[in-house]
Amino acid sequence: MNQEEDSEVLYKDLSYKIVGILYEVYNELGCGYPEKIYENAIAKSLLENGINYKRQAPYRIMFYGETIGRNYIDFIIEDIIVLEIKRGDYFSRKNIEQIKKYLAVTGMKLAILAHFTSNGVKIFRAFNPNNKYL
């Protein structure tokens, strides 16, 4: 376990940078745009900040050992954090279950769900319950 994982906040420095980028995007654009616009702005800001990411990262959906479909994660950041973005004024159970599924299929420890709302950006953090370090 590295020093950043050992702190009280998982991936503290990177998490704070990501959240700062999300607020920066909201402060610049405001509310009401489609998710794709926010996604484009986040990608540009991640790049500008020297943060590595995969955008629309695919993963396979398996059934009886065979691929039966694919789904896509908005961002995988530095190969350690899942970032999913949504538009709307509340976190739905469906959205929270979605990021928990992403944690399960990737084996990552942390997911951030960001909602671009009419009252600002709202952040929800989820942790992988199957990770032995949590």
Side-chain angles (χ1 to χ4, degrees):
M1 185 169 7
N2 68 35
Q3 185 178 13
E4 189 156 354
E5 290 174 334
D6 196 31
S7 67
E8 191 173 314
V9 176
L10 191 60
Y11 308 126
K12 183 178 180 177
D13 291 339
L14 183 57
S15 293
Y16 288 167
K17 286 178 186 176
I18 293 166
V19 170
I21 286 169
L22 295 169
Y23 281 108
E24 175 188 329
V25 167
Y26 183 85
N27 289 339
E28 184 69 27
L29 295 178
C31 69
Y33 288 102
E35 285 178 23
K36 190 57 94 182
I37 298 298
Y38 294 112
E39 187 179 314
N40 291 342
I42 291 166
K44 181 171 178 48
S45 192
L46 289 168
L47 189 64
E48 292 285 323
N49 283 278
I51 298 172
N52 295 318
Y53 66 91
K54 295 175 186 141
R55 184 174 172 182
Q56 291 299 315
Y59 70 89
R60 297 181 299 169
I61 301 166
M62 306 296 289
F63 184 72
Y64 291 131
E66 293 185 27
T67 301
I68 60 167
R70 293 195 185 277
N71 210 343
Y72 299 89
I73 300 171
D74 287 343
F75 292 95
I76 295 179
I77 300 177
E78 296 287 352
D79 290 324
I80 58 173
I81 297 176
V82 170
L83 172 62
E84 184 70 15
I85 57 171
K86 299 291 181 194
R87 213 184 105 203
D89 284 334
Y90 64 93
F91 295 109
S92 73
R93 179 175 287 156
K94 176 182 163 190
N95 297 150
I96 293 168
E97 291 303 318
Q98 180 182 19
I99 62 170
K100 287 181 179 180
K101 175 59 79 178
Y102 291 166
L103 289 174
V105 299
T106 63
M108 292 183 194
K109 298 176 188 178
L110 174 64
I112 298 173
L113 174 61
H115 267 246
F116 288 85
T117 77
S118 58
N119 294 317
V121 65
K122 307 293 184 203
I123 308 295
F124 181 88
R125 295 167 50 94
F127 303 95
N128 189 339
N130 297 322
N131 191 292
K132 65 183 179 180
Y133 297 112
L134 298 176

